[in-house]
Amino acid sequence: MDKRIELIPTTSHSSDGFTPQGEAPASGPLVDTFGRIADDLRISVTDRCNFRCTYCMPAEGLPWLPREDILTFEEITRLAGVFEGLGVKEIKLTGGEPTIRREFPKLVAMARTAHPDLAISMTTNGFLLDRLAQPLADAGLDRVTVSCDSLMRHRFAEMTRRDALEKVFEGLRAAEAAGLTPIKLNCVVIAGTNEDEVVDFARFSRRTGYEVRFIEYMPLDAEQHWERAKVVPSAEILETIDKVFPLIAQGEGVEPATTFRFADGARGAVGVIASVTEPFCDTCNRLRITAEGQLRACLFAMNETDLRTPLRAGAADRELEDLIRSSVWAKWEGHKINHPDFQRPGRSMSMIGG
Ligand code: SAM
């Protein structure tokens, strides 16, 4: 069977083999049986993307979800409110590529008006930010994270299959001008592809003030080309940068990105997301909702909770809350990337919402 077809989202959920003891608490924060509290929610607003990053999606794209399967703006806004009531403090809008969802600023405005205290940010490839940064800021977006894997035009084009680096730079400038700050840059580092640029990215961070976060390549690419040998350990990245620009750790938090400042006081910062070599499952506070309304408690989860069906069937907030509480309660201890029995989830990154 074509590998790509196996990745089409399915509503039949395989089990991850974890059975939680007892019942989820009926009040208080969203807690699981390991005592972790989930208060950071990523909501994917579309599974489509205008880039074709080699480590994420095939050149020809994926079979897109039918429009009617995707959560409406009203549904997303309502869910954001339900999660806020459960203690979520920040939502990050993602995809696919969030900016290609039609009238995307309208969604941000709806969510902002309905939930004035919620932090709302976005992860984007930056391609459309040159014209959308200001409308999004006006709509109430707080800040952006922009993905950028190379500072070299030809390599950027190779990795994203789009000759768009200059446009992304324009987008970054527009985001800054619109006050969508502090800006973070996500860079997936792949051995033999772009690991020779980590010091250049650190230099770029010092010049611009953006925090550059290096992400380890994860087995979530639709084409299943991932192999362990292509992962550049975060520890190596930090060591390489530290030799040129000494770094100071910012201390441990629940944030998966371990952040470092420059010892000489330069602006900018460097972060690492070491999901493969140093999994941070024991402090993971993240939840994700896919574009069609499936709640995932882990990037690598083998099961999901369908929120769209009850939403569309007229469920009351209390019913949605109970469903969410039970789903978080059933979160497994951690993903098994480093176990011999690791199985990739049935979705690739763009279908989950990174
Ligand atoms: N289109 C938006 C963007 O480019 O940021 C949001 C969605 S994208 C799936 C979110 C993040 O996931 C990006 O920073 C991307 O680089 C990262 N990503 C995608 N596939 C990945 C993989 N196999 N391993 C690690 N990170 C990956």
Side-chain angles (χ1 to χ4, degrees):
M1 187 198 256
D2 176 355
K3 277 182 186 169
R4 206 161 54 74
I5 302 304
E6 288 173 42
L7 289 161
I8 296 172
T10 167
T11 48
S12 65
H13 305 149
S14 54
S15 165
D16 60 22
F18 173 67
T19 310
Q21 299 295 306
E23 295 278 311
S27 60
L30 275 177
V31 68
D32 64 30
T33 58
F34 300 92
R36 295 169 295 200
I37 290 171
D39 59 7
D40 177 321
L41 175 66
R42 273 120 225 272
I43 304 180
S44 173
V45 304
T46 177
D47 59 325
R48 296 172 192 232
C49 191
N50 47 355
F51 279 20
R52 294 287 183 273
C53 301
T54 49
Y55 54 79
C56 188
M57 213 188 258
E60 66 277 19
L62 289 166
W64 310 128
L65 290 169
R67 208 163 292 278
E68 62 277 14
D69 285 2
I70 292 189
L71 294 181
T72 63
F73 288 178
E74 288 75 12
E75 288 166 341
I76 292 172
T77 302
R78 175 157 177 228
L79 281 180
V82 171
F83 276 89
E84 189 183 21
L86 291 168
V88 163
K89 298 186 182 71
E90 167 161 11
I91 56 166
K92 181 162 271 184
L93 301 171
T94 182
E97 173 50 39
T99 57
I100 64 170
R101 174 95 187 236
R102 198 181 307 152
E103 298 191 279
F104 178 59
K106 197 169 144 190
L107 167 63
V108 174
M110 276 174 72
R112 169 56 65 226
T113 306
H115 315 300
D117 298 328
L118 201 57
I120 306 178
S121 59
M122 165 177 76
T123 302
T124 174
N125 59 33
F127 186 74
L128 295 175
L129 269 185
D130 56 344
R131 60 182 164 88
L132 282 183
Q134 193 58 55
L136 285 169
D138 294 344
L141 191 73
D142 292 309
R143 59 180 186 82
V144 288
T145 297
V146 176
S147 301
C148 181
D149 306 314
S150 176
L151 298 170
M152 293 189 247
R153 179 180 165 185
H154 69 279
R155 186 179 283 167
F156 183 96
E158 262 166 40
M159 290 184 77
T160 62
R161 300 192 180 101
R162 298 288 183 267
D163 183 6
L165 181 59
E166 201 40 56
K167 189 118 189 303
V168 172
F169 284 154
E170 278 168 36
L172 281 164
R173 287 191 286 270
E176 217 176 326
L180 295 172
T181 54
I183 292 175
K184 291 184 182 174
L185 224 59
N186 273 354
C187 172
V188 179
V189 185
I190 302 180
T193 302
N194 62 345
E195 89 260 48
D196 57 344
E197 284 191 69
V198 296
V199 171
D200 292 338
F201 269 106
R203 195 173 287 113
F204 186 66
S205 168
R206 293 162 63 87
R207 183 159 61 77
T208 57
Y210 307 155
E211 177 183 326
V212 177
R213 309 193 316 167
F214 297 103
I215 305 177
E216 287 181 354
Y217 181 24
M218 291 181 266
L220 290 171
D221 57 316
E223 293 180 285
Q224 306 198 16
H225 289 154
W226 181 88
E227 46 183 308
R228 196 161 284 273
K230 290 183 185 163
V231 177
V232 181
S234 293
E236 265 179 38
I237 294 174
L238 291 171
E239 211 181 300
T240 306
I241 295 173
D242 188 63
K243 279 186 192 145
V244 184
F245 301 119
L247 298 169
I248 298 176
Q250 285 300 287
E252 301 294 317
V254 286
E255 257 285 295
T258 309
T259 312
F260 297 78
R261 303 270 162 207
F262 295 105
D264 64 1
R267 60 196 195 131
V270 167
V272 287
I273 303 186
S275 316
V276 180
T277 62
E278 297 169 61
F280 40 82
C281 305
D282 52 340
T283 56
C284 175
N285 63 338
R286 293 186 175 176
L287 295 173
R288 290 179 166 82
I289 298 177
T290 67
E292 78 274 49
Q294 300 284 327
L295 177 64
R296 297 177 64 85
C298 171
L299 251 187
F300 295 93
M302 301 303 280
N303 52 19
E304 305 178 330
T305 300
D306 177 12
L307 298 178
R308 190 190 63 199
T309 302
L311 255 181
R312 293 189 178 173
D317 281 4
R318 183 71 216 190
E319 290 170 85
L320 293 170
E321 284 169 15
D322 289 347
L323 201 57
I324 295 163
R325 283 189 182 284
S326 311
S327 178
V328 173
W329 188 246
K331 179 171 176 167
W332 61 7
E333 187 172 10
H335 63 68
K336 302 195 174 145
I337 292 187
N338 297 313
H339 291 231
D341 56 346
F342 172 69
Q343 274 185 296
R344 295 173 57 114
R347 291 175 185 272
S348 56
M349 191 64 130
S350 65
M351 294 167 163
I352 296 172

